């Protein structure tokens, strides 16, 4: 056994490539933006971003300017769209040639001042349209004022128009999704007619690609599915999990009726029980909500529930019925025991679990691609 870190996140490039190809086959020839926000969903944004470009992603997407700057500093050259640019970082946005999502007039005006100050013209932007998510974006009623703003100055180059689907992975909400697609078409047609026809329109996230491939427009934005998770059983079917959180048993202990485990004595044994202590805790991203039998890990192919409260750096599992030794490998979640399997009570979603693996957990890349 190689002596590596006990707790590590293993990243499988082959699975990443498989998912990229699967998504590309859903929408043949449509360019794919690889979404690498939040450390590429908890993996590593630079390494994964570069792989995705190699696989054929034509754009990368991030949430914050800082995330885009990091990619640029590491030599990423493709266009990078920033979904939620913060006003205080606008200078960096210009300096590093990142494309902002422009979602309201306040932001548009602030950007305009910043461009004037820096003597920049025809700066590429993507306009975000609100089609029903009601989070960020211009409403359809804002379109004529927006068109005036865009045509009355030479600050901006309208390079993209996009929106976001709220429930594309929920078949029961398909009528709503269709309505979002129709609203988006109206906005795109209006901007084509009144501003320029030379921009790309994009709407679909992973669930859009997998469940509504007809709504691909000129580009799709792939996030969670690249990492191997779908938003329903059908979407999940052919995806491969990219990241596996693994650790090793630090200590085994036999306890007896009446003995307790961990802080606040939350677990009390009713019979002789074998407890394994694992060297990862809430500071590594395993929330306290998973303590007290709310989640289970996998060890020698069998499931072991978390007992007692999760500690900062450790957690304990019940391995009474599993033949195991100190040092044995444990899969917290990953390939054969997914984030959905770990989260037995479905208190969260894979997005949250995988993006929370903290930066102190080593990322290990399987060079298998
Ligand atoms: C995060 C995000 C995506 C990717 O969504 P997935 O469901 O992970 O595919 C796409 N577009 C925007 C605007 C996002 O914020």
């Amino acid at each position: 056994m190689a002596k590596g870190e006990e707790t590590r996140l293993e990243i499988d490039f082959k699975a990443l490539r498989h998912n990229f190809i699967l998504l590309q086959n859903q929408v043949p020839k449509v360019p794919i933006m690889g979404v690498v926000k939040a450390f590429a969903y908890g993996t590593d944004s630079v390494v994964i971003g570069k792989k995705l470009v190699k696989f054929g992603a034509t754009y990368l997407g991030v949430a914050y300017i800082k995330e885009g700057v990091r990619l640029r500093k590491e030599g990423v050259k493709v266009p990078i769209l920033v979904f939620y640019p913060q006003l205080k970082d606008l200078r960096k946005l210009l300096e590093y040639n990142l494309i902002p999502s422009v979602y309201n007039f306040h932001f548009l005006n602030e950007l305009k001042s910043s461009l004037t100050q820096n003597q920049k013209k025809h700066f590429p932007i993507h306009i975000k349209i609100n089609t029903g998510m009601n989070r960020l974006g211009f409403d359809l009623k804002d379109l004529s004022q927006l068109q005036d703003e865009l045509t009355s100055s030479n600050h901006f180059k309208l390079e993209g128009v996009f929106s976001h689907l709220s429930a594309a992975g929920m078949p029961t909400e398909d009528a709503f999704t269709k309505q979002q697609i129709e609203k988006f078409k109206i906005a795109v047609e209006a901007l084509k007619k009144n501003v320029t026809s030379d921009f790309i329109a994009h709407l679909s996230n992973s669930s859009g690609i997998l469940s509504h491939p007809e709504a691909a427009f000129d580009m799709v934005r792939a996030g969670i599915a690249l990492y191997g998770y779908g938003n329903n059983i059908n979407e999940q079917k052919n995806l491969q999990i990219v990241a596996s959180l693994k650790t090793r048993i630090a200590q085994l202990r036999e306890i007896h009726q009446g003995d307790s485990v961990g802080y606040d004595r939350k677990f009390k044994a009713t019979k002789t029980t074998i407890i394994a202590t694992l060297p990862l805790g809430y500071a590594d991203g395993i929330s306290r909500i998973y303590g007290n039998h709310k989640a289970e890990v996998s060890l020698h192919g069998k499931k072991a529930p978390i007992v007692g409260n999760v500690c900062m750096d450790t957690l304990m599992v019940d391995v009474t019925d599993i033949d195991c030794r100190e040092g044995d490998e444990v899969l917290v979640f990953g390939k054969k025991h997914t984030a959905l399997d770990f989260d037995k009570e479905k208190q969260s979603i894979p997005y949250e679990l995988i993006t929370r693996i903290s930066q102190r957990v080593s990322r290990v890349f399987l060079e298998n691609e």
Side-chain angles (χ1 to χ4, degrees):
M1 172 186 95
K3 259 230 164 306
E5 308 247 4
E6 287 166 333
T7 300
R8 73 264 182 215
L9 189 70
E10 274 184 15
I11 313 227
D12 180 352
F13 295 137
K14 220 199 262 175
L16 183 72
R17 183 162 64 171
H18 167 91
N19 297 333
F20 187 90
I21 293 169
L22 183 145
L23 293 172
Q24 186 70 83
N25 289 340
Q26 274 291 109
V27 290
K29 301 210 175 74
V30 177
I32 295 180
M33 171 191 292
V35 178
V36 293
K37 62 190 179 189
F39 293 100
Y41 290 57
T43 58
D44 181 298
S45 53
V46 172
V47 174
I48 297 297
K50 286 182 173 175
K51 282 285 175 202
L52 292 173
V53 170
K54 190 174 148 203
F55 297 158
T58 53
Y59 258 74
L60 293 179
V62 295
Y64 295 122
I65 291 172
K66 221 191 284 184
E67 296 178 311
V69 169
R70 184 153 177 264
L71 292 167
R72 282 281 182 262
K73 282 186 171 164
E74 297 288 338
V76 172
K77 298 280 190 287
V78 298
I80 298 174
L81 179 62
V82 182
F83 299 141
Y84 316 112
Q86 312 281 298
L87 291 171
K88 73 166 182 44
D89 295 334
L90 278 186
R91 200 178 48 77
K92 288 249 188 284
L93 182 107
L94 307 189
E95 186 184 340
Y96 286 92
N97 223 358
L98 305 169
I99 304 170
S101 153
V102 174
Y103 52 84
N104 65 5
F105 291 111
H106 176 66
F107 184 87
L108 189 80
N109 290 328
E110 294 286 330
L111 181 62
K112 203 197 274 183
S113 326
S114 199
L115 291 169
T116 306
Q117 259 171 34
N118 290 276
Q119 299 177 333
K120 294 220 184 225
K121 286 179 190 160
H122 309 293
F123 192 78
I125 60 171
H126 284 216
I127 290 290
K128 176 116 189 228
I129 305 293
N130 175 34
T131 53
M133 179 84 168
N134 292 322
R135 184 170 64 173
L136 292 173
F138 291 97
D139 292 325
L140 295 192
K141 67 174 168 42
D142 300 326
L143 281 177
S144 69
Q145 190 189 340
L146 178 63
Q147 287 156 6
D148 293 345
E149 291 277 356
L150 294 177
T151 48
S152 68
S153 90
N154 59 5
H155 289 93
F156 307 112
K157 174 172 186 281
L158 182 58
E159 199 167 274
V161 175
F162 76 114
S163 185
H164 195 57
L165 298 171
S166 315
M170 287 182 80
T172 51
E173 293 293 353
D174 276 357
F176 183 81
T177 301
K178 297 254 174 323
Q179 208 177 305
Q180 284 197 280
I181 297 168
E182 289 315 309
K183 277 192 181 169
F184 184 60
K185 279 185 184 158
I186 291 170
V188 167
E189 289 314 314
L191 290 162
K192 282 211 161 132
K193 183 156 161 265
N194 301 317
V195 182
T196 170
S197 57
D198 193 20
F199 63 76
I200 53 172
H202 49 105
L203 174 65
S204 281
N205 56 356
S206 296
S207 279
I209 301 166
L210 292 166
S211 297
H212 303 272
E214 73 285 357
F217 293 90
D218 309 318
M219 182 165 74
V220 292
R221 305 186 304 273
I224 194 81
L226 286 173
Y227 306 97
Y229 289 96
N231 284 313
N232 59 49
I233 293 169
N234 209 25
E235 291 182 7
Q236 185 67 54
K237 219 166 33 196
N238 297 312
L239 295 169
Q240 293 180 6
I241 304 292
V242 169
S244 296
L245 181 60
K246 295 182 175 176
T247 189
R248 293 184 184 282
I249 296 176
Q251 189 167 11
L252 280 174
R253 183 189 319 280
E254 184 179 283
I255 61 171
H256 302 283
Q257 186 180 9
D259 292 343
S260 64
V261 173
Y263 285 118
D264 300 342
R265 308 190 65 205
K266 280 291 183 193
F267 176 74
K268 287 188 180 140
T270 54
K271 58 181 172 59
T272 298
T273 303
I274 314 289
I275 297 294
T277 300
L278 308 181
L280 85 167
Y282 58 77
D284 300 291
I286 303 301
S287 165
R288 289 179 85 253
I289 66 169
Y290 297 113
N292 302 302
H293 289 81
K294 294 289 183 6
E296 48 197 18
V297 303
S298 170
L299 140 80
H300 296 307
K302 296 192 171 138
K303 298 190 190 305
I306 300 180
V307 293
N309 282 330
V310 174
C311 308
M312 189 185 297
D313 315 304
T314 48
L315 58 83
M316 280 67 92
V317 296
D318 182 345
V319 295
T320 307
D321 300 323
I322 307 174
D323 183 21
C324 57
R325 305 278 167 274
E326 290 174 347
D328 282 2
E329 178 137 302
V330 176
L331 178 60
V332 181
F333 54 77
K335 274 186 197 306
K336 294 209 171 97
H337 177 71
T338 70
L340 293 155
D341 300 325
F342 169 83
D343 183 11
K344 202 173 60 171
E345 308 271 318
K346 304 294 171 275
Q347 297 190 88
S348 188
I349 54 173
Y351 288 83
E352 185 178 10
L353 259 160
I354 66 176
T355 56
R356 283 195 163 203
I357 305 307
S358 82
Q359 291 297 302
R360 87 171 176 183
V361 175
S362 303
R363 271 60 176 165
V364 174
F365 303 99
L366 305 179
E367 292 296 339
N368 56 2
E369 167 271 315

